[in-house]
């Protein structure tokens, strides 16, 4: 079998695997919401490309190359939400009589030709259509369009390398930080204004030249070769169980023994967060995001509006719960039969999860001290969003324990395909992120900052104080649906 036939066979298998997933039928509502989001994003990109192209007509055609570094940076971070690594996809084919290098190369090429890379054509095509109408020769227009799309593909290979290395060790995050910080040195040497102008001028003059195109070709070949060897080696090592693990002393956490079965499940939550790579990386990434937002809010005037300040403050508190609780009971779905053998096991698990995620809120509270000390956040604002998260936000997120019925492997990304198994997950996520802010802003407008945040804090405190009542209600509703949920957990293991 030649590589071309192998490529089309693997591509067909990938499409069929998505359609055969047990959650495919239940994901249709989420697919509709995703399609609506993609439609809005497409309209935005077309409008942005049209605006830039209209301003670049008649001699300023290279403007797109001055803007490309910003687009490429945005593209890099957007890929964390969707692009899968070939090492996760090639494992089922490793035992087949096909060269591993061919399989790996096909999946890498598949990533390079993904629809996500073509999405940027919605910005590029309107731009180059307008500059072509403004007098740029057709051959030059097509060449510049190809170069821009080429850079998007290079960015896909760069993301693949970075994400693979970061998954192996978090210390590799220093590599992209260094690569993105190095071009910003003119900002430190020449000052923000002149340094930014020099960066823009350099990109405008040099990104579309013959030496630059030679560099692009070399970078593409190098990244492809490195990714090919790295993905093949990691997939083979994982399947062959070559990784050596040292067993160290385990933490017993005996201080939780006094809380009985709830304490035991608390130990399970803590150890899962400490030992499982996927969970641990989510917490580390959350800490990095919240720290970055805290410093931006404390030392810059980037977000001045009342809505923006309140939204980012709530985001920092809700982040850990929203990312992890959207699939609540998903990990437990792998051993749900054992949990159902004892009365109120599910209720004890829900209590342990609630106490654990309440304790996790200490992290954003500490990390948001710089905005408090700089005067951007008031102490009563921090208290209000801490309590509204512990109360109202967690109350809504824990409702998903009744309706989630898809098992979640512990080593699976929370942003992997099929994350939203029902429309309620998406609705609750949106409500959790925006409704508390709407309540706070409305109350502040009507009654002032002190009274408004006090009412928000009182609402959160009410839900927090009654957590035993609504957790038990969730438990009883779960038990009423237990057979349907157990069937779903079995089907998705």
């Amino acid at each position: 079998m030649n590589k071309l036939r192998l490529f089309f066979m693997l591509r067909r298998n990938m499409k069929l695997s998505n359609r055969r997933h047990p959650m495919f039928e239940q994901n249709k509502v989420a697919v509709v919401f995703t399609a609506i989001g993609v439609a809005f994003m497409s309209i935005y990109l077309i409008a942005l490309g049209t605006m830039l192209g209209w301003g670049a007509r008649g001699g300023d055609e290279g403007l797109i190359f001055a803007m490309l570094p910003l687009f490429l940076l945005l593209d890099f971070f957007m890929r964390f939400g969707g692009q899968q690594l070939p090492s996760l996809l090639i494992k089922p084919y490793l035992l087949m009589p096909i060269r591993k290098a061919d399989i790996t190369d096909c999946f890498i090429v598949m990533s390079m030709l993904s629809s996500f890379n073509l999405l940027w054509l919605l910005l590029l095509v309107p731009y180059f259509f307008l500059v072509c109408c403004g007098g740029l020769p057709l051959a030059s227009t097509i060449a510049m369009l190809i170069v821009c799309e080429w850079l998007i593909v290079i960015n896909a290979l760069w993301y693949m390398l970075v994400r693979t290395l970061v998954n192996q060790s978090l210390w590799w995050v220093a590599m992209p930080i260094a690569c993105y910080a190095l071009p910003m040195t003119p900002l430190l040497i020449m000052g923000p204004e002149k340094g930014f102008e020099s960066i823009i001028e350099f990109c405008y003059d040099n990104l579309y030249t013959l030496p630059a195109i030679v560099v692009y070709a070399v970078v593409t070949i190098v990244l492809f070769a490195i990714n090919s060897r790295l993905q093949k080696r990691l997939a083979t090592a994982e399947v062959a169980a070559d990784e050596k693990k040292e067993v160290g002393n385990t933490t017993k956490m005996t201080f939780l023994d006094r809380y009985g079965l709830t304490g035991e499940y608390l130990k399970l939550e803590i150890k899962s967060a400490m030992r499982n790579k996927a969970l641990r990386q989510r917490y580390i990434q959350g800490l990095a995001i919240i720290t970055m937002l805290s410093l931006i809010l404390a030392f810059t005037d980037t977000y001045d509006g009342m809505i923006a300040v309140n939204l980012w403050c709530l985001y920092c508190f809700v982040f850990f719960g929203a990312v992890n609780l959207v699939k609540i009971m998903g990990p437990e779905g792998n051993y749900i039969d054992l949990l159902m053998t004892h009365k109120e096991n599910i209720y004890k698990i829900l209590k342990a999860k609630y106490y654990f995620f309440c304790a996790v809120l200490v992290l954003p509270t500490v990390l948001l001290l710089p905005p408090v000390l700089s005067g951007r956040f008031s102490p009563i604002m921090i208290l209000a969003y801490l309590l509204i998260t512990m109360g109202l936000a967690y109350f809504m997120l824990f409702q998903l324990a009744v309706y989630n019925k898809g098992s979640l492997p512990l080593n699976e990304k929370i942003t992997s395909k099929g994350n939203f198994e029902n429309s309620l997950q998406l609705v609750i996520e949106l409500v959790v992120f925006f409704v508390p802010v709407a309540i706070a802003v409305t109350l502040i407008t009507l009654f002032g900052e002190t009274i408004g945040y006090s009412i928000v804090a009182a609402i959160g405190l009410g839900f927090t104080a009654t957590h035993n009542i609504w957790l038990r209600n969730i438990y009883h509703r779960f038990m009423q649906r237990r057979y349907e949920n157990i069937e779903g957990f079995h089907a998705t293991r």
Side-chain angles (χ1 to χ4, degrees), residues 16-32:
L16 290 175
S17 68
N18 292 334
R19 294 184 62 87
R20 289 169 178 167
H21 194 279
M23 288 300 160
F24 178 76
E25 293 297 328
Q26 301 179 34
N27 276 340
K28 288 193 173 180
V29 177
V31 169
V32 172

Side-chain angles (χ1 to χ4, degrees), residues 12 22 42 51 61 67 92 103 121 179 194 204 220 250 252 277 335 351 355 378 392 419 429 454:
R12 185 180 68 253
S42 301
M51 181 183 67
E61 294 84 2
M67 303 295 296
I103 299 174
L121 290 176
C179 290
K194 291 184 178 179
Y204 184 90
T220 303
T250 58
K252 295 184 178 180
K277 180 191 288 187
Y335 46 90
K351 284 187 69 175
Y355 295 148
S378 62
L392 180 60
N419 179 44
E429 284 274 81
S454 298

Side-chain angles (χ1 to χ4, degrees), residues 89-274:
L89 303 173
I90 67 178
K91 287 185 287 186
Y93 301 95
L94 292 179
L95 298 179
M96 298 179 65
I98 305 174
R99 289 184 63 222
K100 298 174 185 177
D102 292 345
I103 299 174
T104 307
D105 293 346
C106 286
F107 275 113
I108 293 177
V109 172
M110 211 178 296
S111 298
M112 296 169 67
L113 299 178
S114 68
S115 57
F116 188 87
N117 297 334
L118 300 179
L119 183 66
W120 287 98
L121 290 176
L122 295 172
L123 183 148
L124 297 173
V125 170
Y127 174 89
F128 285 109
F129 175 77
L130 289 174
V131 297
C132 183
C133 294
L136 185 67
L138 180 61
S140 299
T141 302
I142 296 175
M144 294 174 73
L145 175 61
I146 292 173
V147 170
C148 290
E149 185 61 24
W150 189 1
L151 288 171
I152 299 295
V153 173
I154 292 174
N155 210 39
L157 293 173
W158 165 244
Y159 162 82
M160 188 185 301
L161 175 62
V162 170
R163 186 60 186 267
T164 304
L165 293 175
V166 170
N167 283 350
Q168 301 307 305
S169 174
L170 194 65
W171 292 108
W172 281 106
V173 77
M175 182 176 69
I177 291 176
C179 290
Y180 288 121
L182 187 61
M184 299 299 174
T185 50
L187 297 176
L188 300 176
I189 299 173
M190 306 172 63
E193 186 174 348
K194 291 184 178 179
F196 183 73
E197 290 178 0
S198 66
I199 294 172
I200 294 297
E201 290 176 1
F202 177 84
C203 295
Y204 184 90
D205 296 334
N206 297 282
L207 288 189
Y208 183 66
T209 59
L210 183 58
I213 292 174
V214 173
V215 171
Y216 301 155
V218 173
V219 170
T220 303
I221 295 171
V222 171
L223 286 177
F224 189 95
I226 294 175
N227 275 305
S228 179
R229 295 192 62 179
L230 186 61
Q231 300 294 331
K232 181 180 67 175
R233 183 176 64 83
L234 291 176
T236 305
E238 186 171 348
V239 171
D242 289 341
E243 184 180 359
K244 296 180 180 180
K245 296 182 179 180
E246 296 181 0
V247 179
N249 295 329
T250 58
T251 306
K252 295 184 178 180
M253 293 180 282
T254 54
F255 66 94
L256 293 174
D257 291 343
R258 70 186 70 178
Y259 302 107
L261 194 57
T262 302
E264 293 299 321
Y265 287 127
L266 264 173
K267 294 179 185 179
L268 180 63
E269 291 290 330
I270 295 171
K271 290 180 179 179
S272 295
M274 292 171 59

Side-chain angles (χ1 to χ4, degrees), residues 27-46:
N27 276 340
K28 288 193 173 180
V29 177
V31 169
V32 172
F33 278 99
T34 303
I36 293 173
V38 171
F40 277 108
M41 184 177 180
S42 301
I43 294 172
Y44 177 79
L45 290 175
I46 293 171

